[in-house]
Amino acid sequence: MVPMLLLESDVAAQAASLPGPAFAEALQISGVAMLAIFAVMTLLGVMIALLQRVFPADEPGEGGPQS
Amino acid sequence: MELLLQGILDLTPGALIMFVIGGLLIWLAIAKEYEPTLLLPIGLGAILANIPHSAAIGVDGEPGILALLFKLGIHTELFPLLIFVAIGAMIDFGPLLQNPKMLLFGAAAQFGIFFTFCLAAWFGFTLLESASIGIIGAADGPTSIVVANRFAPHLLGPITVAAYSYMSLVPIIQPPIIKLLTTKSERLIRMDNLHFRPVSRRTRIVFPIAVTLFVGLLAPSAASLIGMLMFGNLLRESGVVERLSKGAQNELANIVTLLLGISIGAVMQADQFLDRRTLMILGMGVIAFIFDTAGGVLCAKLLNLFLTHKINPMVGACGISAFPMSGRVVYKMGLAEDPQNHLLMHAISCNVGGQIGSVIAGGLILALVK
């Protein structure tokens, strides 16, 4: 019974301290990182499109699956 | 006599539990074939590391084989980076080069990383620990190991076990989430009208070099990860070093996977692993995969509001980096809905985009979290 009460008080104490001290910073970093990932991936897509334009698959034997 | 029994006499309940966990991992690898190449060595490593006074960990202050492998291969990040060379040599980026729009899903399906990052911070983990837990959502073992090794080496064991176990559970985790978030009519969308442009050999060769420069300059902290991945791919696509390419795909991949797996066992000692936080990490790992899947599917649904040629939202779920499991899962789901709906190329292009996305996410976390 005593350990159970101790466990309950431990859980209650932890619940009272939520959210953790790092939460606000994590939220901020996550927002920035998600935006950055979308930006980088979009630019990467543009780069691929440019590569496709600069090196079109118009040479004989090109365009098929490689290796 | 006492000397002979010392190992048995010093067995702790924690060590016994770790033997069971190690056995469970080996059983999952053999009976269920869940990531056997990693779970099998990790399982035996966990058993070896928990034998009292194990020479595998060290004797009289001298490091044993597991401790040495860990120090040389994981602590220095050598093994995960070498694995990336092998992965790069195995991946054909052709489908992505033909359809670069799919990169967007490779970004959206990293959502689970950041959701879990915030969740872990909410539950009181430190910022560095939370970032390491969140990166389980990269669905990419080497990236998880690199980030956890730098930010929270004490959590490396549970994070690695979660990352590799859940990757093998993608066929179980993803379908219910995809079905929950899509309607029958959305799952029936055909993407035949999206034509794949042929790709020249020059594009295939320039791509890994350009990505290394591009991502390396934008996110230098991701340079080693993306650089090794693209090095492997350059070996494959150059067409002049087939022996090296095959060596990276087979011998290198096999040897490093073997050493990586058993080294992870070194951090699965009972006093570090058997913790309430391990259970929390394993739980949050599933949440990361669920929200990755949701991020990709919801991104596709959002794009469909503006597109003339609709995207089957199931394909968005492949933005998760678990390659090629996720692509196969969605391909099979598409066929189950409509036997004539072949989504394989779209799913795989999205899946390899996820591979790049997860590396960039890892690099950004390394750069942004201090």
Side-chain angles (χ1 to χ4, degrees), chain A residues 34-59:
Chain A
M34 270 314 282
L35 285 175
I37 290 177
F38 270 104
V40 173
M41 296 295 260
T42 306
L43 289 171
L44 211 52
V46 172
M47 188 196 78
I48 293 173
L50 283 173
L51 279 178
Q52 288 277 58
R53 193 162 283 223
V54 175
F55 305 115
D58 54 3
E59 292 167 32

Side-chain angles (χ1 to χ4, degrees), chain B residues 2-281:
Chain B
E2 198 178 321
L3 196 69
L4 285 175
L5 292 175
Q6 198 180 5
I8 298 168
L9 292 172
D10 288 345
L11 266 177
T12 60
L16 289 173
I17 295 172
M18 289 311 296
F19 291 164
V20 174
I21 292 174
L24 180 71
L25 294 177
I26 293 172
W27 177 77
L28 286 172
I30 296 171
K32 300 287 177 185
E33 292 190 30
Y34 288 164
E35 287 284 332
T37 50
L38 274 155
L39 292 192
L40 192 86
I42 290 177
L44 190 73
I47 292 172
L48 258 179
N50 286 285
I51 293 172
H53 318 293
S54 173
I57 293 297
V59 180
D60 299 332
E62 290 296 316
I65 178 78
L66 288 187
L68 266 178
L69 284 174
F70 182 82
K71 193 177 169 188
L72 296 174
I74 310 269
H75 189 62
T76 59
E77 298 170 7
L78 182 68
F79 290 164
L81 291 175
L82 287 176
I83 286 277
F84 260 136
V85 178
I87 294 173
M90 288 177 202
I91 292 184
D92 177 5
F93 282 105
L96 180 69
L97 295 172
Q98 291 173 316
N99 197 3
K101 282 196 287 286
M102 292 295 167
L103 276 168
L104 276 180
F105 303 118
Q110 309 307 322
F111 176 63
I113 297 177
F114 299 102
F115 181 87
T116 311
F117 176 22
C118 295
L119 188 70
W122 174 279
F123 281 127
F125 285 91
T126 66
L127 196 67
L128 296 179
E129 288 172 341
S130 304
S132 307
I133 295 166
I135 204 69
I136 296 172
D140 175 348
T143 304
S144 300
I145 292 171
V146 168
V147 173
N149 181 53
R150 283 203 207 163
F151 286 169
H154 55 291
L155 299 180
L156 193 57
I159 286 172
T160 310
V161 171
Y164 281 110
S165 310
Y166 296 145
M167 254 193 287
S168 64
L169 293 176
V170 156
I172 296 167
I173 297 173
Q174 283 204 310
I177 308 301
I178 294 171
K179 284 200 169 175
L180 187 74
L181 294 174
T182 53
T183 61
K184 174 87 179 165
S185 61
E186 284 174 327
R187 294 195 294 273
L188 286 170
I189 291 175
R190 289 193 176 193
M191 295 172 70
D192 306 336
N193 44 15
L194 286 177
H195 295 294
F196 285 95
R197 296 165 64 183
V199 182
S200 69
R201 180 163 176 257
R202 283 183 197 171
T203 303
R204 284 173 178 274
I205 293 171
V206 173
F207 175 72
I209 303 166
V211 170
T212 304
L213 278 171
F214 183 79
V215 177
L217 289 172
L218 281 179
S221 46
S224 55
L225 292 169
I226 201 81
M228 291 299 112
L229 183 73
M230 291 298 146
F231 169 54
N233 192 248
L234 184 61
L235 292 178
R236 173 196 177 94
E237 299 297 351
S238 67
V240 292
V241 283
E242 197 174 344
R243 203 160 48 88
L244 296 188
S245 171
K246 298 282 182 216
Q249 291 178 46
N250 299 302
E251 289 85 355
L252 182 69
N254 291 339
I255 291 171
V256 181
T257 303
L258 188 153
L259 296 176
L260 179 81
I262 200 145
S263 313
I264 295 296
V267 284
M268 288 181 70
Q269 288 168 283
D271 55 338
Q272 294 169 25
F273 196 86
L274 293 179
D275 189 331
R276 183 173 55 99
R277 303 196 328 160
T278 298
L279 283 178
M280 290 178 78
I281 291 167

